[in-house]
Amino acid sequence: MLIRRAPEVPSSEITPESLYLDRRSFMAAASFAALDLAAPSLGRARARRVRDDEKPTSYASITHYNNYYEFGTGKEDPSENAGGFKTRPWKVEIAGEVAKPGHYDLDDILKGQTIEERVYRHRCVEGWSMVIPWSGFPLRNLITRVQPTSRARFVEFTTLYDPARMPEQRGGVLPWPYVEGLRMDEALHPLTLLVTGLYGRPLPNQNGAPLRIHVPWKYGFKSGKALVRIRFTADQPANTWNVVAPNEYGFYANVNPTVDHPRWSQSRERRIGEFLRRPTLMFNGYADQVASLYAGMDLRRNF
Amino acid sequence: MSGRTGQRAVRLTVYLACLLPLVRLATNGLGGRLGPEPIRAVELFTGTWGLTFLVITLAVTPVRRVTGWNWLAGYRRPLGLFAFAYVTLHFLTWFGVDQFFAIRYIGQDILKRPYITVGFASFLLMIPLAITSRKAMVRRLGKRWATLHSLVYVAALGGIVHFVWSAKADLSTPTVYALILVLLLLFRFVPRRSARPRTAGPRDLPTPVP
């Protein structure tokens, strides 16, 4: 399999320097925002130098164009239906092949983690994309803390199942709860982010609050929202879209312009807010960082 | 009696009603209320309304036969043309805005993507129907006109298949259209009453004077 090298994307443009917030000021910003007294200056003060074509998508678009079927299948349903979703208290179960399993309180999960801002490209399998200034911390920090055993080869992520709070779960559009998975080396990759915020504010409910994952070189559906369980397994876990349509959605779901979805092309994408479609980049432009994970693999078969 | 003026007023009202979706689309567009992905929103909107008008057009004859409102027959052609207009807008949005005339990609999509193949074919199928919709053509084509225009069912079916195949998981809306189309098709096989000479029903009796 030929892996075309994507144009150089310096990491400085993906993760601008000087954006590191310590947890204290992040939490201060978070509580202000939560009280709707958000100080937008916090976001603006941190001047970032990014190329024009990697300009972050507007906050309004990022929060009003969501695939989050638990809150409805329309793109604007989550922004309309997730408003009252309570994200505290919140527990995350760490389970499976791990030395320190248990039900961790979210505050405990976040304890000691340095929240940093990372501007990531986000490519949906449907053919649109965004540039999102997330805040969060690398998943690997949590993984090293809970110490998976040597048998752990995969990580499974489970989204909350609570039909009383997630209206679409009363219907059968997808099998619930939503599950996703990564290979251990993918989960440990420094780009793989546990997300707690957006635009320097706490993560809005429609974007997967209070805790979601983002794997920027994979199609968006790989990145589960409202996580309640992280399980370490020896065998490859199931992932929801693969269960629903195995010929259309694989386990890997790496962004790949040369492997089309059976029903539509993946060679181009529309960046939300732009008029013309732009070419899709191999591994969503992160080939330099992640292509080695898949060396020797047939990416056409392992789509 | 102002029967003719009344008819004209009704006709005008119906036409204006058919334009309402377009007006709504325009005001939403000018007001910036089409969401973060406006091109997609226009495609979804025009496609859905094209299909809706197709189904309404196909419902004219069954409704006329059930209710006996024969004046409805005169609305079949304009409703069908409105369906064609919305479908054309849908196609042009995809062709000229979404793809921005990128013929290479458009050709590939039509050939390789079954949902686009079917959608495009259904649009092409509607063109001869629109062209031959005039009264003069009905007369000129005679029996063949009815045969030709039964293709409208194929176009509607194609539109629904196009809708289903473009959906990711939520098939609720296309399913509603499919069910309605099946009902309308089934109705076609109900034997016609009008084939028999009409006998006076209670409706035709003069109102008894008390």
Side-chain angles (χ1 to χ4, degrees):
Chain A
M1 170 76 205
L2 172 81
I3 298 173
R4 273 194 312 201
R5 281 181 80 81
E8 199 87 67
V9 182
S11 63
S12 61
E13 289 177 1
I14 300 154
T15 311
E17 299 165 308
S18 79
L19 294 185
Y20 294 84
L21 283 169
D22 64 39
R23 188 176 131 73
R24 200 173 298 262
S25 69
F26 170 78
M27 287 312 288
S31 47
F32 272 116
L35 292 168
D36 238 331
L37 299 169
S41 54
L42 267 175
R44 247 174 261 143
R46 281 174 272 121
R48 46 178 89 91
R49 286 186 311 113
V50 283
R51 271 197 332 226
D52 273 355
D53 63 342
E54 298 299 348
K55 204 176 69 186
T57 306
S58 76
Y59 184 81
S61 290
I62 296 173
T63 54
H64 290 81
Y65 200 75
N66 308 103
N67 276 330
Y68 194 173
Y69 281 15
E70 282 81 350
F71 290 105
T73 56
K75 294 284 187 289
E76 304 200 28
D77 289 349
S79 62
E80 280 163 25
N81 299 334
F85 182 65
K86 290 255 184 311
T87 57
R88 296 296 156 108
W90 193 272
K91 284 201 182 304
V92 180
E93 182 190 358
I94 304 289
E97 300 289 346
V98 66
K100 296 179 177 175
H103 292 81
Y104 290 71
D105 195 83
L106 181 60
D107 294 327
D108 190 16
I109 295 268
L110 300 176
K111 195 170 64 189
Q113 302 292 352
T114 305
I115 301 297
E116 47 187 280
E117 179 162 314
R118 295 206 183 175
V119 182
Y120 276 171
R121 285 181 290 272
H122 171 80
R123 168 65 153 81
C124 178
V125 73
E126 295 167 352
W128 53 268
S129 64
M130 295 181 177
V131 177
I132 308 182
W134 296 121
S135 32
F137 61 94
L139 173 65
R140 64 179 301 155
N141 294 3
L142 178 66
I143 293 178
T144 43
R145 186 179 147 200
V146 298
Q147 297 166 15
T149 69
S150 58
R151 283 175 49 79
R153 292 177 53 235
F154 295 90
V155 191
E156 179 199 64
F157 304 90
T158 307
T159 296
L160 175 70
Y161 175 69
D162 189 350
R165 293 153 72 197
M166 294 179 145
E168 197 66 30
Q169 286 183 335
R170 289 165 226 160
V173 66
L174 288 179
W176 311 109
Y178 193 87
V179 286
E180 257 306 340
L182 293 174
R183 221 168 54 186
M184 199 55 149
D185 56 346
E186 298 174 325
L188 285 170
H189 194 280
L191 281 175
T192 303
L193 197 67
L194 268 176
V195 174
T196 57
L198 172 64
Y199 263 103
R201 307 181 196 181
L203 195 59
N205 290 341
Q206 61 265 41
N207 294 88
L211 188 70
R212 67 165 294 167
I213 193 167
H214 190 236
V215 192
W217 70 92
K218 292 175 180 284
Y219 294 119
F221 72 86
K222 288 299 292 180
S223 297
K225 305 182 180 78
L227 299 180
V228 292
R229 192 158 74 136
I230 298 174
R231 190 168 68 101
F232 296 84
T233 65
D235 300 317
Q236 182 174 304
N239 58 312
T240 298
W241 280 101
N242 178 251
V243 170
V244 173
N247 60 322
E248 299 193 338
Y249 309 99
F251 175 78
Y252 284 94
N254 291 316
V255 175
N256 188 338
T258 66
V259 177
D260 287 339
H261 184 279
R263 288 185 282 151
W264 54 82
S265 165
Q266 296 291 25
S267 67
R268 294 183 302 158
E269 67 200 51
R270 176 171 290 110
R271 182 68 53 83
I272 297 297
E274 290 181 356
F275 177 67
L276 290 177
R277 289 172 191 235
R278 54 164 70 212
T280 288
L281 305 176
M282 188 65 205
F283 295 115
N284 205 19
Y286 299 98
D288 285 353
Q289 292 96 324
V290 301
S292 59
L293 295 177
Y294 310 101
M297 258 177 83
D298 181 351
L299 296 180
R300 193 162 287 278
R301 186 177 305 174
N302 298 291
F303 58 95
Chain B
M1 192 53 199
S2 61
R4 186 160 288 183
T5 333
Q7 263 179 29
R8 205 172 283 170
V10 171
R11 189 162 278 260
L12 193 66
T13 312
V14 171
Y15 290 179
L16 288 176
C18 291
L19 283 171
L20 277 182
L22 193 63
V23 172
R24 188 158 156 245
L25 182 65
T27 51
N28 281 350
L30 293 172
R33 289 187 299 274
L34 290 175
E37 171 82 293
I39 300 172
R40 185 87 196 86
V42 174
E43 284 172 344
L44 194 62
F45 188 90
T46 50
T48 312
W49 277 103
L51 209 48
T52 305
F53 275 105
L54 259 180
V55 167
I56 293 174
T57 310
L58 288 172
V60 167
T61 301
V63 170
R64 182 171 64 93
R65 276 169 58 194
V66 167
T67 60
W69 298 343
N70 284 325
W71 54 268
L72 276 176
Y75 287 97
R76 210 164 52 150
R77 173 173 177 252
L79 286 169
L81 286 174
F82 272 110
F84 180 66
Y86 280 100
V87 171
T88 305
L89 273 179
H90 176 69
F91 168 77
L92 289 177
T93 308
W94 173 72
F95 188 91
V97 185
D98 190 344
Q99 300 289 342
F100 199 59
F101 308 103
I103 295 296
R104 203 181 107 223
Y105 291 109
I106 290 170
Q108 274 176 8
D109 271 0
I110 290 174
L111 292 177
K112 280 174 71 179
R113 313 291 163 200
Y115 87 95
I116 294 178
T117 315
V118 170
F120 184 64
S122 306
F123 166 64
L124 290 185
L125 201 57
M126 289 179 78
I127 295 174
L129 304 189
I131 292 172
T132 59
S133 69
R134 295 173 54 215
K135 271 212 180 92
M137 285 304 245
V138 181
R139 272 197 296 273
R140 229 170 87 188
L141 291 172
K143 275 219 172 100
R144 284 173 302 164
W145 189 90
T147 316
L148 176 66
H149 278 252
S150 59
L151 284 178
V152 70
Y153 284 99
V154 180
L157 186 67
I160 291 167
V161 170
H162 167 71
F163 199 175
V164 170
W165 284 353
S166 65
K168 224 166 99 195
D170 186 3
L171 298 176
S172 49
T173 320
T175 305
V176 171
Y177 284 100
L179 281 176
I180 296 174
L181 184 72
V182 166
L183 282 176
L184 293 171
L185 255 172
L186 285 178
F187 193 84
R188 284 269 143 178
F189 297 103
V190 175
R192 282 165 191 269
R193 270 188 315 172
S194 54
R196 287 177 287 138
R198 238 170 93 79
T199 48
R203 213 189 318 209
D204 299 320
L205 291 173
T207 321
V209 181

